[in-house]
Coordinates of all heavy atoms in Angstrom, one line a residue:
M16 N -8.7 37.8 -37.7 CA -8.1 36.6 -38.2 C -7.7 35.7 -37.0 O -7.0 36.2 -36.1 CB -6.9 36.8 -39.1 CG -6.4 35.6 -39.7 SD -5.0 35.9 -40.8 CE -5.7 35.9 -42.4
A17 N -8.1 34.4 -37.0 CA -7.8 33.6 -35.9 C -6.4 33.0 -36.0 O -6.0 32.6 -37.1 CB -8.8 32.4 -35.9
R18 N -5.7 33.0 -34.9 CA -4.4 32.4 -34.9 C -4.5 30.9 -34.6 O -5.3 30.5 -33.8 CB -3.5 33.1 -33.9 CG -3.2 34.5 -34.3 CD -2.2 35.1 -33.3 NE -1.6 36.2 -33.9 CZ -0.4 36.6 -33.8 NH1 0.4 35.8 -33.1 NH2 0.1 37.6 -34.4
H19 N -3.6 30.2 -35.2 CA -3.5 28.8 -35.0 C -2.5 28.5 -33.9 O -1.4 28.9 -34.0 CB -3.1 28.1 -36.3 CG -3.7 26.7 -36.4 ND1 -2.9 25.6 -36.2 CD2 -4.9 26.2 -36.6 CE1 -3.7 24.5 -36.4 NE2 -4.9 24.9 -36.6
K20 N -3.0 27.9 -32.8 CA -2.1 27.6 -31.7 C -1.2 26.4 -32.0 O -1.7 25.3 -32.3 CB -2.9 27.4 -30.4 CG -2.0 27.2 -29.2 CD -2.9 27.1 -28.0 CE -2.0 26.9 -26.7 NZ -2.8 26.7 -25.5
Q21 N 0.1 26.6 -31.9 CA 1.0 25.4 -32.1 C 1.3 24.8 -30.8 O 1.6 25.4 -29.8 CB 2.3 25.9 -32.8 CG 2.1 26.2 -34.3 CD 3.4 26.4 -34.9 OE1 4.4 26.8 -34.3 NE2 3.5 26.2 -36.2
T22 N 1.3 23.5 -30.8 CA 1.7 22.7 -29.6 C 2.9 21.8 -30.0 O 3.0 21.4 -31.1 CB 0.5 21.8 -29.1 OG1 0.2 20.9 -30.2 CG2 -0.7 22.6 -28.7
S23 N 3.7 21.6 -29.0 CA 4.8 20.7 -29.3 C 4.4 19.3 -29.0 O 3.7 19.0 -28.0 CB 6.0 21.1 -28.4 OG 5.7 21.0 -27.1
R24 N 4.9 18.3 -29.8 CA 4.6 16.9 -29.6 C 5.6 16.3 -28.6 O 6.8 16.6 -28.6 CB 4.6 16.2 -30.9 CG 3.5 16.6 -31.9 CD 3.6 15.8 -33.1 NE 3.4 14.4 -32.9 CZ 2.2 13.8 -33.0 NH1 1.2 14.5 -33.3 NH2 2.1 12.5 -32.8
T25 N 5.1 15.3 -27.8 CA 6.0 14.6 -27.0 C 6.5 13.3 -27.6 O 7.5 12.7 -27.2 CB 5.3 14.3 -25.6 OG1 4.2 13.5 -25.9 CG2 5.0 15.5 -24.9
T26 N 5.8 12.8 -28.6 CA 6.3 11.7 -29.4 C 6.4 12.0 -30.8 O 5.8 12.9 -31.3 CB 5.2 10.5 -29.2 OG1 4.0 11.0 -29.7 CG2 5.1 10.1 -27.8
P27 N 7.3 11.3 -31.5 CA 7.4 11.6 -33.0 C 6.1 11.4 -33.7 O 5.3 10.5 -33.4 CB 8.5 10.6 -33.4 CG 9.2 10.1 -32.2 CD 8.2 10.3 -31.1
K28 N 5.9 12.1 -34.7 CA 4.7 12.0 -35.5 C 4.6 10.7 -36.2 O 5.6 10.2 -36.7 CB 4.7 13.2 -36.6 CG 3.3 13.3 -37.3 CD 3.3 14.5 -38.2 CE 2.0 14.7 -38.8 NZ 1.9 15.9 -39.6
G29 N 3.4 10.1 -36.1 CA 3.2 8.8 -36.8 C 3.4 7.6 -35.8 O 3.2 6.5 -36.3
T30 N 3.7 7.8 -34.6 CA 3.9 6.7 -33.7 C 2.6 6.5 -32.9 O 1.8 7.4 -32.7 CB 5.1 6.9 -32.7 OG1 4.8 8.1 -31.9 CG2 6.4 7.1 -33.4
T31 N 2.4 5.3 -32.3 CA 1.3 5.0 -31.5 C 1.7 4.5 -30.1 O 2.8 4.0 -30.0 CB 0.4 3.9 -32.1 OG1 1.2 2.8 -32.3 CG2 -0.2 4.4 -33.5
P32 N 0.9 4.8 -29.1 CA 1.3 4.3 -27.8 C 1.3 2.8 -27.7 O 0.6 2.1 -28.4 CB 0.3 4.9 -26.8 CG -0.8 5.5 -27.7 CD -0.3 5.5 -29.1
S33 N 2.1 2.2 -26.8 CA 2.2 0.8 -26.6 C 1.0 0.3 -25.9 O 0.5 0.9 -24.9 CB 3.5 0.5 -25.8 OG 3.5 -0.9 -25.4
P34 N 0.3 -0.8 -26.4 CA -0.9 -1.3 -25.8 C -0.7 -1.9 -24.4 O -1.5 -2.0 -23.6 CB -1.4 -2.3 -26.8 CG -0.3 -2.7 -27.5 CD 0.7 -1.6 -27.6
T35 N 0.6 -2.4 -24.1 CA 0.8 -3.1 -22.9 C 1.4 -2.1 -21.8 O 1.7 -2.6 -20.7 CB 1.8 -4.2 -23.1 OG1 3.0 -3.7 -23.7 CG2 1.2 -5.3 -24.0
G36 N 1.6 -0.9 -22.1 CA 2.2 0.0 -21.2 C 3.7 0.2 -21.4 O 4.3 -0.6 -22.2
D37 N 4.3 1.1 -20.8 CA 5.7 1.4 -21.0 C 6.5 0.8 -19.8 O 6.3 1.3 -18.7 CB 5.9 2.9 -21.1 CG 7.3 3.3 -21.6 OD1 8.0 2.3 -22.0 OD2 7.7 4.4 -21.5
A38 N 7.3 -0.2 -20.0 CA 8.1 -0.8 -19.0 C 9.5 -0.4 -19.0 O 10.4 -1.1 -18.5 CB 7.9 -2.3 -19.0
R39 N 9.9 0.7 -19.6 CA 11.3 1.1 -19.6 C 11.7 1.6 -18.2 O 10.9 2.1 -17.4 CB 11.5 2.3 -20.6 CG 11.2 1.8 -22.0 CD 11.4 3.0 -22.9 NE 10.4 4.0 -22.5 CZ 10.2 5.1 -23.2 NH1 10.8 5.3 -24.3 NH2 9.3 5.9 -22.8
P40 N 13.0 1.6 -17.9 CA 13.4 2.1 -16.6 C 13.1 3.6 -16.6 O 13.3 4.3 -17.5 CB 14.9 1.8 -16.6 CG 15.1 0.8 -17.6 CD 14.0 0.9 -18.6
G41 N 12.7 4.0 -15.4 CA 12.4 5.4 -15.2 C 10.9 5.8 -15.6 O 10.5 6.9 -15.4
S42 N 10.2 4.8 -16.1 CA 8.8 5.1 -16.5 C 7.9 5.0 -15.2 O 8.4 4.5 -14.2 CB 8.3 4.2 -17.6 OG 8.2 2.9 -17.1
T43 N 6.7 5.3 -15.3 CA 5.8 5.2 -14.2 C 5.1 3.9 -14.1 O 4.3 3.7 -13.1 CB 4.7 6.3 -14.3 OG1 4.0 6.1 -15.5 CG2 5.3 7.7 -14.3
Y44 N 5.3 3.0 -15.0 CA 4.7 1.6 -14.9 C 5.3 0.8 -13.8 O 6.5 0.8 -13.5 CB 5.0 0.9 -16.2 CG 4.5 -0.6 -16.2 CD1 3.2 -0.9 -16.3 CD2 5.4 -1.6 -16.0 CE1 2.7 -2.2 -16.2 CE2 5.0 -2.9 -15.9 CZ 3.6 -3.2 -16.0 OH 3.2 -4.5 -16.0
Q45 N 4.4 0.2 -13.0 CA 4.9 -0.6 -11.8 C 4.1 -1.9 -11.9 O 2.9 -2.0 -12.2 CB 4.6 0.1 -10.5 CG 5.3 1.3 -10.3 CD 5.0 1.9 -8.9 OE1 4.0 1.6 -8.3 NE2 5.8 2.9 -8.5
A46 N 4.9 -3.0 -11.7 CA 4.3 -4.3 -11.7 C 3.4 -4.5 -10.5 O 3.6 -3.9 -9.5 CB 5.4 -5.4 -11.7
P47 N 2.4 -5.4 -10.6 CA 1.5 -5.6 -9.5 C 2.2 -6.3 -8.4 O 3.2 -6.9 -8.6 CB 0.4 -6.5 -10.0 CG 0.9 -7.0 -11.3 CD 1.9 -6.1 -11.8
S48 N 1.7 -6.1 -7.1 CA 2.4 -6.7 -6.0 C 2.2 -8.2 -6.0 O 1.3 -8.7 -6.5 CB 1.7 -6.1 -4.7 OG 2.0 -4.8 -4.6
P49 N 3.2 -8.9 -5.3 CA 3.0 -10.3 -5.2 C 1.9 -10.6 -4.2 O 1.4 -9.7 -3.4 CB 4.4 -10.8 -4.6 CG 5.2 -9.6 -4.4 CD 4.5 -8.4 -4.9
T50 N 1.4 -11.8 -4.2 CA 0.2 -12.2 -3.5 C 0.5 -12.1 -2.0 O -0.5 -11.8 -1.2 CB -0.2 -13.6 -3.8 OG1 -0.4 -13.7 -5.2 CG2 -1.5 -14.0 -3.1
W51 N 1.7 -12.3 -1.5 CA 1.9 -12.3 -0.1 C 1.8 -10.9 0.6 O 1.6 -10.8 1.8 CB 3.3 -12.8 0.2 CG 4.5 -12.1 -0.3 CD1 5.1 -12.3 -1.5 CD2 5.1 -11.0 0.3 NE1 6.1 -11.4 -1.7 CE2 6.2 -10.6 -0.6 CE3 5.0 -10.3 1.5 CZ2 7.0 -9.5 -0.3 CZ3 5.8 -9.2 1.7 CH2 6.8 -8.8 0.9
V52 N 1.9 -9.8 -0.2 CA 1.8 -8.5 0.4 C 0.4 -8.2 1.0 O 0.4 -7.8 2.2 CB 2.2 -7.4 -0.7 CG1 2.0 -6.0 -0.1 CG2 3.6 -7.5 -1.1
P53 N -0.7 -8.4 0.3 CA -2.0 -8.2 1.0 C -2.3 -9.2 2.1 O -2.9 -8.8 3.1 CB -3.0 -8.2 -0.2 CG -2.4 -8.9 -1.3 CD -0.9 -8.7 -1.1
V54 N -1.7 -10.4 1.9 CA -1.9 -11.4 3.0 C -1.3 -11.0 4.3 O -1.9 -11.0 5.3 CB -1.4 -12.8 2.5 CG1 -1.4 -13.8 3.6 CG2 -2.2 -13.3 1.3
V55 N 0.0 -10.5 4.2 CA 0.7 -10.0 5.3 C 0.1 -8.8 5.9 O -0.1 -8.6 7.1 CB 2.2 -9.8 5.0 CG1 2.9 -9.0 6.1 CG2 2.9 -11.1 4.7
M56 N -0.4 -7.9 5.0 CA -1.0 -6.6 5.4 C -2.2 -6.9 6.3 O -2.4 -6.4 7.4 CB -1.3 -5.8 4.2 CG -2.1 -4.5 4.5 SD -2.6 -3.6 3.0 CE -3.8 -4.7 2.4
F57 N -3.2 -7.7 5.7 CA -4.4 -8.0 6.5 C -4.2 -8.8 7.7 O -4.8 -8.7 8.7 CB -5.4 -8.6 5.5 CG -6.0 -7.6 4.6 CD1 -5.9 -7.9 3.2 CD2 -6.7 -6.5 5.0 CE1 -6.4 -7.0 2.3 CE2 -7.3 -5.6 4.1 CZ -7.1 -5.9 2.7
G58 N -3.2 -9.7 7.6 CA -2.9 -10.6 8.8 C -2.3 -9.7 9.9 O -2.7 -9.9 11.1
L59 N -1.4 -8.8 9.7 CA -0.9 -7.9 10.7 C -2.0 -7.0 11.3 O -2.0 -6.8 12.5 CB 0.3 -7.1 10.2 CG 1.6 -7.9 9.9 CD1 2.6 -7.0 9.3 CD2 2.1 -8.5 11.2
L60 N -2.8 -6.4 10.4 CA -3.8 -5.6 10.9 C -4.8 -6.3 11.8 O -5.2 -5.9 12.9 CB -4.6 -4.9 9.7 CG -3.8 -3.8 9.0 CD1 -4.6 -3.5 7.7 CD2 -3.6 -2.6 9.8
A61 N -5.3 -7.5 11.3 CA -6.2 -8.3 12.1 C -5.6 -8.8 13.4 O -6.2 -8.8 14.4 CB -6.7 -9.5 11.3
G62 N -4.3 -9.2 13.3 CA -3.7 -9.7 14.5 C -3.5 -8.6 15.6 O -3.7 -8.9 16.8
G63 N -3.2 -7.4 15.1 CA -3.1 -6.3 16.1 C -4.4 -6.0 16.7 O -4.5 -5.7 17.9
I64 N -5.4 -5.9 15.9 CA -6.8 -5.6 16.5 C -7.2 -6.7 17.5 O -7.7 -6.4 18.6 CB -7.8 -5.4 15.4 CG1 -7.4 -4.1 14.6 CG2 -9.2 -5.4 15.9 CD1 -8.2 -4.0 13.3
V65 N -7.0 -8.0 17.1 CA -7.4 -9.1 18.0 C -6.6 -9.0 19.3 O -7.2 -9.2 20.4 CB -7.2 -10.4 17.3 CG1 -7.3 -11.6 18.2 CG2 -8.2 -10.6 16.2
L66 N -5.3 -8.7 19.2 CA -4.5 -8.7 20.4 C -4.9 -7.5 21.3 O -5.0 -7.7 22.6 CB -3.0 -8.5 20.1 CG -2.0 -8.6 21.2 CD1 -2.1 -9.9 21.9 CD2 -0.6 -8.4 20.7
I67 N -5.3 -6.4 20.8 CA -5.7 -5.3 21.6 C -7.1 -5.6 22.2 O -7.3 -5.4 23.4 CB -5.8 -4.0 20.7 CG1 -4.4 -3.5 20.3 CG2 -6.6 -2.9 21.5 CD1 -4.4 -2.4 19.3
L68 N -8.0 -6.2 21.5 CA -9.3 -6.6 22.1 C -9.1 -7.7 23.1 O -9.8 -7.6 24.2 CB -10.2 -7.1 21.0 CG -10.7 -6.0 20.0 CD1 -11.6 -6.6 18.9 CD2 -11.5 -4.9 20.7
L69 N -8.3 -8.7 22.9 CA -8.1 -9.7 23.9 C -7.5 -9.2 25.2 O -7.7 -9.7 26.2 CB -7.2 -10.9 23.3 CG -7.8 -11.8 22.3 CD1 -6.8 -12.8 21.8 CD2 -9.1 -12.5 22.8
N70 N -6.7 -8.2 25.0 CA -6.0 -7.6 26.2 C -7.0 -7.1 27.2 O -6.8 -7.2 28.4 CB -5.1 -6.4 25.7 CG -4.4 -5.8 26.9 OD1 -4.0 -6.4 27.8 ND2 -4.1 -4.5 26.8
Y71 N -8.2 -6.6 26.7 CA -9.2 -6.0 27.6 C -10.4 -7.0 27.9 O -11.2 -6.7 28.8 CB -9.7 -4.7 27.1 CG -8.6 -3.7 27.0 CD1 -8.1 -3.2 25.8 CD2 -8.2 -3.1 28.2 CE1 -7.1 -2.3 25.8 CE2 -7.2 -2.2 28.2 CZ -6.7 -1.7 27.0 OH -5.7 -0.8 27.0
T72 N -10.5 -8.1 27.2 CA -11.7 -8.9 27.3 C -11.5 -10.3 27.9 O -12.4 -10.8 28.5 CB -12.4 -9.1 25.9 OG1 -11.5 -9.7 25.0 CG2 -12.9 -7.7 25.4
I73 N -10.3 -10.8 27.7 CA -10.0 -12.2 28.2 C -9.2 -12.2 29.4 O -8.2 -11.5 29.6 CB -9.3 -13.0 27.1 CG1 -10.1 -13.0 25.8 CG2 -9.0 -14.4 27.5 CD1 -11.4 -13.7 25.8
E74 N -9.6 -13.0 30.4 CA -9.0 -13.0 31.7 C -7.7 -13.8 31.8 O -6.9 -13.6 32.6 CB -9.9 -13.6 32.8 CG -11.1 -12.7 33.0 CD -10.7 -11.4 33.7 OE1 -9.7 -11.3 34.5 OE2 -11.3 -10.3 33.3
F75 N -7.4 -14.8 30.8 CA -6.3 -15.6 30.9 C -5.0 -14.8 30.7 O -3.9 -15.3 31.1 CB -6.3 -16.8 30.0 CG -6.1 -16.5 28.6 CD1 -4.8 -16.5 28.1 CD2 -7.1 -16.3 27.7 CE1 -4.6 -16.3 26.7 CE2 -6.9 -16.0 26.4 CZ -5.6 -16.0 25.9
L76 N -5.0 -13.7 30.1 CA -3.9 -12.8 29.9 C -3.5 -12.1 31.2 O -2.5 -11.4 31.3 CB -4.1 -11.8 28.8 CG -4.2 -12.4 27.4 CD1 -4.5 -11.3 26.4 CD2 -3.0 -13.2 27.0
G77 N -4.4 -12.2 32.2 CA -4.2 -11.4 33.4 C -4.8 -10.1 33.3 O -5.7 -9.8 32.5
M78 N -4.4 -9.2 34.1 CA -4.9 -7.8 34.0 C -4.5 -7.2 32.7 O -3.5 -7.5 32.1 CB -4.3 -7.0 35.2 CG -4.8 -7.5 36.6 SD -6.5 -7.3 36.8 CE -6.7 -5.6 36.9
P79 N -5.2 -6.2 32.2 CA -4.8 -5.5 31.0 C -3.4 -4.9 31.2 O -3.0 -4.4 32.2 CB -5.8 -4.4 30.9 CG -7.0 -4.8 31.6 CD -6.5 -5.7 32.7
S80 N -2.6 -5.2 30.2 CA -1.2 -4.8 30.2 C -0.8 -3.9 29.1 O -1.3 -4.1 28.0 CB -0.3 -6.1 30.2 OG 1.1 -5.7 30.0
N81 N 0.0 -2.9 29.4 CA 0.5 -2.0 28.3 C 1.3 -2.8 27.3 O 1.4 -2.3 26.2 CB 1.3 -0.9 29.0 CG 0.4 0.1 29.7 OD1 -0.8 0.2 29.4 ND2 1.0 0.9 30.5
W82 N 2.0 -3.9 27.7 CA 2.8 -4.6 26.7 C 2.0 -5.2 25.6 O 2.4 -5.3 24.5 CB 3.7 -5.6 27.5 CG 4.7 -4.9 28.3 CD1 4.8 -4.9 29.7 CD2 5.8 -4.2 27.8 NE1 5.9 -4.2 30.1 CE2 6.5 -3.7 29.0 CE3 6.3 -3.8 26.6 CZ2 7.6 -2.9 28.9 CZ3 7.4 -3.0 26.5 CH2 8.1 -2.6 27.6
Y83 N 0.8 -5.8 26.0 CA -0.1 -6.4 25.0 C -0.6 -5.2 24.1 O -0.7 -5.4 22.9 CB -1.2 -7.1 25.6 CG -0.8 -8.4 26.3 CD1 -1.0 -8.6 27.7 CD2 -0.1 -9.4 25.6 CE1 -0.6 -9.8 28.3 CE2 0.3 -10.6 26.2 CZ 0.0 -10.7 27.6 OH 0.4 -11.9 28.2
L84 N -0.9 -4.1 24.7 CA -1.4 -3.0 23.9 C -0.3 -2.5 22.9 O -0.6 -2.3 21.8 CB -1.8 -1.8 24.8 CG -2.3 -0.6 24.2 CD1 -3.6 -0.9 23.4 CD2 -2.6 0.5 25.2
L85 N 0.9 -2.4 23.4 CA 2.0 -1.9 22.5 C 2.3 -3.0 21.4 O 2.6 -2.6 20.3 CB 3.3 -1.7 23.3 CG 3.2 -0.4 24.2 CD1 4.5 -0.3 25.1 CD2 3.1 0.8 23.3
G86 N 2.2 -4.3 21.8 CA 2.4 -5.3 20.8 C 1.3 -5.3 19.7 O 1.6 -5.4 18.5
G87 N 0.0 -5.0 20.1 CA -1.0 -4.9 19.2 C -0.9 -3.7 18.3 O -1.1 -3.7 17.0
L88 N -0.5 -2.6 18.9 CA -0.2 -1.4 18.1 C 1.0 -1.6 17.1 O 1.0 -1.1 16.0 CB 0.0 -0.2 19.0 CG -1.2 0.3 19.7 CD1 -0.8 1.4 20.7 CD2 -2.3 0.8 18.8
G89 N 2.0 -2.3 17.6 CA 3.1 -2.6 16.7 C 2.7 -3.5 15.5 O 3.1 -3.3 14.4
L90 N 1.8 -4.4 15.7 CA 1.3 -5.3 14.6 C 0.5 -4.4 13.6 O 0.6 -4.6 12.4 CB 0.4 -6.4 15.2 CG 1.2 -7.5 15.9 CD1 0.2 -8.5 16.5 CD2 2.1 -8.2 14.9
V91 N -0.4 -3.5 14.2 CA -1.2 -2.6 13.3 C -0.2 -1.7 12.5 O -0.4 -1.5 11.3 CB -2.2 -1.8 14.1 CG1 -2.8 -0.7 13.3 CG2 -3.2 -2.7 14.7
L92 N 0.8 -1.2 13.1 CA 1.8 -0.4 12.4 C 2.5 -1.2 11.3 O 2.7 -0.7 10.2 CB 2.8 0.2 13.4 CG 3.9 1.1 12.7 CD1 3.3 2.3 12.1 CD2 4.9 1.5 13.8
G93 N 2.8 -2.5 11.6 CA 3.4 -3.3 10.5 C 2.4 -3.5 9.4 O 2.8 -3.5 8.2
G94 N 1.1 -3.6 9.7 CA 0.1 -3.8 8.6 C 0.0 -2.5 7.8 O -0.1 -2.5 6.6
I95 N 0.2 -1.3 8.4 CA 0.1 -0.1 7.7 C 1.3 0.1 6.8 O 1.3 0.5 5.6 CB 0.0 1.1 8.7 CG1 -1.4 1.1 9.3 CG2 0.2 2.4 8.0 CD1 -1.6 2.0 10.5
I96 N 2.5 -0.3 7.3 CA 3.7 -0.3 6.5 C 3.6 -1.2 5.3 O 4.0 -0.9 4.2 CB 4.9 -0.6 7.4 CG1 5.2 0.6 8.4 CG2 6.2 -0.8 6.5 CD1 6.2 0.3 9.4
A97 N 3.1 -2.4 5.5 CA 2.9 -3.4 4.4 C 1.9 -2.8 3.4 O 2.0 -3.0 2.2 CB 2.4 -4.7 4.9
A98 N 0.9 -2.0 3.9 CA -0.1 -1.4 2.9 C 0.6 -0.4 2.0 O 0.1 -0.2 0.9 CB -1.2 -0.8 3.7
T99 N 1.6 0.2 2.4 CA 2.3 1.2 1.6 C 3.1 0.5 0.4 O 3.4 1.2 -0.6 CB 3.3 2.1 2.3 OG1 4.3 1.3 2.9 CG2 2.6 2.8 3.5
Q100 N 3.3 -0.8 0.5 CA 4.0 -1.5 -0.5 C 3.1 -2.1 -1.5 O 3.5 -2.7 -2.5 CB 4.9 -2.6 0.1 CG 5.9 -2.1 1.1 CD 6.8 -1.1 0.5 OE1 7.4 -1.3 -0.5 NE2 7.0 0.0 1.2
Y101 N 1.8 -2.1 -1.3 CA 0.8 -2.7 -2.2 C 0.5 -1.8 -3.4 O 0.3 -0.6 -3.3 CB -0.6 -2.9 -1.4 CG -1.6 -3.6 -2.2 CD1 -1.4 -4.9 -2.5 CD2 -2.7 -3.0 -2.6 CE1 -2.4 -5.6 -3.3 CE2 -3.7 -3.6 -3.4 CZ -3.5 -5.0 -3.7 OH -4.4 -5.6 -4.4
R102 N 0.6 -2.4 -4.6 CA 0.4 -1.7 -5.8 C -0.8 -2.3 -6.5 O -0.9 -3.4 -6.6 CB 1.6 -1.8 -6.7 CG 2.8 -1.1 -6.2 CD 4.0 -1.1 -7.2 NE 4.6 -2.3 -7.3 CZ 5.7 -2.7 -6.6 NH1 6.3 -1.8 -5.8 NH2 6.2 -3.9 -6.8

């Protein structure tokens, strides 16, 4: 004889899920990021890469300097930090 496996329900019987998602505090729903987050993210990443490349290719900055390299890496790091805020 086959046994019937009983499962516990997480919602009361007869209810349906919300079509717009659950926006209660403590839920997993997160609003989309504002427009400025990806703009800042890509701007910092591109600015850092350009600064690092200019450090080694353009003569008007003088000899390659560690300060320009660190500045470029700092901009790239800022872009990575901004990327963690993008939803």
